[in-house]
Amino acid sequence: MDEERYKADDTDESAVDEPALGESHARKDDRRYTYSDYLEWDDDQRWELIDGVPILMTAPTVQHQRISGNLFASLHSFLKGKTCEVFYAPFDVRLNADTFDNTVVQPDVLVICDRTKLEKTGCKGAPDFVIEILSPSTSSHDRFLKFDLYRKSGVREYWIVEPDTKKVSVHTLSNEDYITRVYGEADVAPISVLDNCAIDLAEVFPKD
């Protein structure tokens, strides 16, 4: 199986460029915000906050929800009685809570093993495992912007699920790089951060 390595850089988070947004993502306005501001919003819409820039999240499709539900069910069953716990969106993850506190994401599915990171509104710090399910409006957002955010913040394993091709790109953190393996619908994909856990992808993707 082919592997790729993504090399970390030394970018200063305080000097991060404007996030690159997909065509279907909407900005709230031109201000920069923090998590404290984010908590004050009450407009019945889902937002993420990337380096202070608010990004409107679109509603998921039926296919997206089926895949998300199947992944959550598999992980929930495996983790019963274990220390790690699985959650699903909407669930706030404050990736830089101890510094600028201006990045809040809502992964589709995530696993947290350090329960001291849990707070009333979500997770303070990087989850151990994150899954994002691609849609036309989030593809570049998840492949590039979130990929870099998760790597830099220390998410140990990041899955990108592609509903159209029925493939999963598994990115495992090693020395600040992501090692990438790609699995297809017929494969059983191991989760390296959860001992003895693997997911049969044939049970994840809805049958046509």
Coordinates of all heavy atoms in Angstrom, one line a residue, residues 82-124:
K82 N -14.6 1.5 27.8 CA -13.2 1.9 27.7 C -13.0 3.4 28.1 O -14.0 4.1 28.2 CB -12.7 1.7 26.3 CG -12.6 0.2 25.9 CD -12.1 0.1 24.5 CE -11.9 -1.4 24.1 NZ -13.2 -2.2 24.1
T83 N -11.8 3.8 28.3 CA -11.6 5.2 28.7 C -11.9 6.2 27.6 O -12.5 7.3 27.8 CB -10.1 5.4 29.1 OG1 -9.8 4.5 30.1 CG2 -9.8 6.8 29.5
C84 N -11.6 5.9 26.3 CA -11.8 6.8 25.2 C -13.3 6.9 25.0 O -14.1 5.9 25.2 CB -11.1 6.3 24.0 SG -9.3 6.2 24.1
E85 N -13.8 8.0 24.4 CA -15.2 8.3 24.2 C -15.4 8.9 22.8 O -14.6 9.8 22.4 CB -15.8 9.2 25.3 CG -17.3 9.3 25.2 CD -17.8 10.0 26.5 OE1 -17.0 10.4 27.4 OE2 -19.1 10.2 26.6
V86 N -16.4 8.5 22.1 CA -16.7 9.0 20.7 C -17.8 10.1 20.8 O -18.8 9.9 21.6 CB -17.0 7.9 19.8 CG1 -18.3 7.1 20.2 CG2 -17.2 8.4 18.3
F87 N -17.7 11.1 20.0 CA -18.7 12.2 19.9 C -18.9 12.5 18.4 O -18.2 12.0 17.5 CB -18.2 13.4 20.6 CG -17.9 13.3 22.1 CD1 -16.7 12.9 22.5 CD2 -18.9 13.4 23.0 CE1 -16.4 12.7 23.9 CE2 -18.7 13.3 24.4 CZ -17.4 12.9 24.8
Y88 N -20.0 13.2 18.2 CA -20.3 13.6 16.8 C -20.8 15.0 16.7 O -21.2 15.6 17.7 CB -21.4 12.6 16.2 CG -22.7 12.6 16.9 CD1 -23.7 13.4 16.7 CD2 -22.8 11.6 18.0 CE1 -24.9 13.4 17.4 CE2 -24.0 11.6 18.7 CZ -25.0 12.4 18.4 OH -26.2 12.4 19.1
A89 N -20.7 15.6 15.5 CA -21.1 17.0 15.4 C -22.6 17.2 15.6 O -23.4 16.3 15.3 CB -20.7 17.5 13.9
P90 N -23.0 18.4 16.1 CA -22.2 19.5 16.4 C -21.5 19.4 17.8 O -22.2 19.0 18.8 CB -23.2 20.7 16.4 CG -24.5 20.1 16.8 CD -24.5 18.7 16.2
F91 N -20.2 19.6 17.8 CA -19.4 19.4 19.1 C -18.2 20.3 18.9 O -17.4 20.1 18.0 CB -19.0 18.0 19.2 CG -18.3 17.6 20.5 CD1 -19.0 17.2 21.6 CD2 -16.9 17.7 20.6 CE1 -18.4 16.9 22.8 CE2 -16.3 17.4 21.7 CZ -17.0 16.9 22.8
D92 N -18.1 21.3 19.7 CA -17.0 22.3 19.6 C -15.6 21.8 20.0 O -15.5 21.2 21.1 CB -17.3 23.6 20.5 CG -18.4 24.4 19.9 OD1 -18.9 24.1 18.8 OD2 -18.9 25.3 20.7
V93 N -14.7 21.9 19.2 CA -13.3 21.6 19.5 C -12.4 22.8 19.4 O -12.2 23.4 18.3 CB -12.8 20.5 18.5 CG1 -11.3 20.2 18.8 CG2 -13.6 19.2 18.7
R94 N -11.9 23.2 20.5 CA -11.0 24.4 20.6 C -9.6 24.0 20.4 O -8.9 23.6 21.4 CB -11.2 25.1 21.9 CG -12.7 25.6 22.1 CD -12.9 25.9 23.6 NE -12.1 27.0 24.1 CZ -12.0 27.3 25.4 NH1 -12.6 26.6 26.3 NH2 -11.2 28.3 25.7
L95 N -9.1 24.1 19.2 CA -7.7 23.5 18.9 C -6.6 24.3 19.5 O -5.5 23.8 19.8 CB -7.5 23.4 17.4 CG -8.4 22.4 16.7 CD1 -8.2 22.4 15.2 CD2 -8.0 21.0 17.2
N96 N -6.8 25.7 19.7 CA -5.7 26.5 20.3 C -6.2 27.2 21.5 O -5.9 28.4 21.7 CB -5.1 27.4 19.2 CG -6.1 28.4 18.7 OD1 -7.3 28.4 19.0 ND2 -5.7 29.4 17.9
A97 N -6.9 26.5 22.3 CA -7.5 27.1 23.5 C -6.5 27.7 24.5 O -6.8 28.7 25.2 CB -8.4 26.1 24.2
D98 N -5.3 27.2 24.5 CA -4.3 27.7 25.5 C -3.5 28.8 24.9 O -2.6 29.3 25.6 CB -3.4 26.5 25.9 CG -4.1 25.4 26.7 OD1 -5.1 25.8 27.4 OD2 -3.7 24.3 26.6
T99 N -3.7 29.2 23.7 CA -2.9 30.4 23.1 C -3.9 31.4 22.6 O -4.4 32.2 23.4 CB -2.0 29.9 22.0 OG1 -2.8 29.2 21.0 CG2 -1.0 28.9 22.5
F100 N -4.2 31.5 21.3 CA -5.0 32.5 20.8 C -6.5 32.3 21.0 O -7.3 33.2 21.0 CB -4.8 32.7 19.3 CG -3.3 33.0 19.0 CD1 -2.4 32.1 18.6 CD2 -2.9 34.3 19.1 CE1 -1.1 32.4 18.3 CE2 -1.6 34.7 18.9 CZ -0.7 33.7 18.5
D101 N -6.9 31.0 21.2 CA -8.3 30.6 21.3 C -9.2 31.2 20.3 O -10.3 31.8 20.6 CB -8.8 31.0 22.7 CG -10.0 30.1 23.2 OD1 -10.2 29.1 22.5 OD2 -10.6 30.4 24.2
N102 N -8.8 31.1 19.0 CA -9.6 31.7 17.9 C -9.8 30.7 16.8 O -10.1 31.1 15.7 CB -8.8 32.9 17.3 CG -7.5 32.6 16.7 OD1 -7.0 31.4 16.8 ND2 -6.8 33.6 16.1
T103 N -9.7 29.4 17.2 CA -10.0 28.3 16.2 C -10.9 27.3 16.9 O -10.5 26.6 17.8 CB -8.7 27.7 15.7 OG1 -7.9 28.6 14.9 CG2 -9.0 26.5 14.8
V104 N -12.1 27.2 16.3 CA -13.1 26.2 16.9 C -13.6 25.4 15.7 O -14.2 26.0 14.7 CB -14.3 26.9 17.6 CG1 -15.2 25.9 18.2 CG2 -13.7 27.9 18.6
V105 N -13.5 24.1 15.7 CA -14.0 23.3 14.6 C -15.0 22.3 15.1 O -15.1 22.1 16.3 CB -12.8 22.5 13.9 CG1 -11.9 23.5 13.2 CG2 -12.0 21.7 14.9
Q106 N -15.8 21.8 14.2 CA -16.8 20.8 14.6 C -16.6 19.5 13.7 O -17.3 19.4 12.6 CB -18.2 21.4 14.4 CG -18.5 22.5 15.4 CD -20.0 22.9 15.4 OE1 -20.8 22.2 14.8 NE2 -20.3 23.9 16.1
P107 N -15.7 18.6 14.0 CA -15.5 17.4 13.2 C -16.8 16.6 13.2 O -17.7 16.6 14.1 CB -14.4 16.7 14.0 CG -13.8 17.7 14.9 CD -14.9 18.7 15.2
D108 N -16.9 15.8 12.1 CA -18.1 15.0 11.9 C -18.2 13.9 13.0 O -19.2 13.7 13.6 CB -18.1 14.3 10.6 CG -18.4 15.3 9.5 OD1 -19.3 16.2 9.6 OD2 -17.7 15.3 8.4
V109 N -17.0 13.3 13.3 CA -16.9 12.3 14.3 C -15.5 12.4 15.0 O -14.6 12.7 14.3 CB -17.0 10.8 13.8 CG1 -17.0 9.8 14.9 CG2 -18.4 10.7 13.0
L110 N -15.4 12.2 16.3 CA -14.2 12.4 16.9 C -14.1 11.5 18.2 O -15.1 11.1 18.7 CB -13.9 13.8 17.3 CG -14.8 14.4 18.4 CD1 -14.1 15.5 19.2 CD2 -16.1 15.1 17.7
V111 N -12.9 11.1 18.5 CA -12.6 10.3 19.7 C -11.7 11.1 20.7 O -10.6 11.6 20.2 CB -12.1 8.9 19.4 CG1 -11.6 8.2 20.6 CG2 -13.1 8.1 18.6
I112 N -12.0 11.1 21.9 CA -11.2 11.8 23.0 C -10.9 10.7 24.0 O -11.8 10.1 24.6 CB -11.9 13.0 23.6 CG1 -12.2 14.0 22.5 CG2 -11.1 13.6 24.7 CD1 -13.2 15.1 23.0
C113 N -9.6 10.6 24.3 CA -9.1 9.6 25.3 C -8.7 10.3 26.6 O -8.7 9.7 27.7 CB -8.0 8.8 24.7 SG -8.4 7.8 23.3
D114 N -8.3 11.5 26.6 CA -8.0 12.3 27.7 C -9.2 13.1 28.2 O -9.5 14.1 27.7 CB -6.8 13.3 27.4 CG -6.4 14.1 28.6 OD1 -7.0 14.0 29.7 OD2 -5.4 14.9 28.5
R115 N -9.9 12.6 29.2 CA -11.2 13.2 29.6 C -11.0 14.5 30.3 O -12.0 15.2 30.5 CB -11.9 12.2 30.5 CG -12.3 10.9 29.7 CD -13.5 10.2 30.3 NE -13.9 9.1 29.5 CZ -15.0 8.5 29.5 NH1 -15.9 8.9 30.4 NH2 -15.3 7.4 28.8
T116 N -9.8 14.9 30.7 CA -9.6 16.2 31.2 C -9.8 17.3 30.2 O -9.9 18.5 30.5 CB -8.2 16.3 31.9 OG1 -7.2 16.2 30.8 CG2 -7.9 15.3 32.9
K117 N -9.8 16.9 28.9 CA -10.0 17.9 27.8 C -11.5 18.2 27.6 O -11.8 19.2 26.9 CB -9.4 17.3 26.5 CG -7.9 17.2 26.5 CD -7.4 16.8 25.1 CE -5.9 16.7 25.0 NZ -5.4 16.3 23.7
L118 N -12.3 17.4 28.2 CA -13.8 17.6 28.0 C -14.3 18.7 28.9 O -13.9 18.8 30.1 CB -14.5 16.3 28.4 CG -14.3 15.1 27.4 CD1 -15.0 13.9 28.0 CD2 -14.9 15.5 26.0
E119 N -15.1 19.6 28.3 CA -15.7 20.7 29.1 C -17.2 20.7 28.7 O -17.6 20.0 27.8 CB -15.0 22.0 28.8 CG -14.9 22.4 27.3 CD -14.1 23.6 27.1 OE1 -13.5 24.2 28.1 OE2 -14.0 24.1 26.0
K120 N -17.9 21.6 29.3 CA -19.4 21.6 29.1 C -19.8 21.8 27.6 O -20.7 21.2 27.1 CB -20.0 22.7 29.9 CG -21.5 22.8 29.9 CD -22.1 23.9 30.7 CE -23.6 24.0 30.7 NZ -24.1 25.1 31.5
T121 N -19.0 22.6 26.9 CA -19.4 22.9 25.5 C -18.6 22.1 24.5 O -18.8 22.3 23.3 CB -19.1 24.4 25.2 OG1 -17.7 24.7 25.6 CG2 -20.0 25.3 26.1
G122 N -17.7 21.2 24.9 CA -17.0 20.4 23.9 C -15.6 20.0 24.4 O -15.5 19.4 25.5
C123 N -14.6 20.2 23.6 CA -13.3 19.7 23.8 C -12.3 20.9 23.8 O -12.3 21.7 22.9 CB -12.9 18.7 22.8 SG -11.2 18.1 22.9
K124 N -11.4 20.9 24.8 CA -10.4 21.9 24.9 C -9.0 21.3 24.6 O -8.4 20.6 25.4 CB -10.4 22.6 26.3 CG -9.4 23.7 26.5 CD -9.4 24.2 27.9 CE -8.4 25.4 28.1 NZ -8.5 25.9 29.5

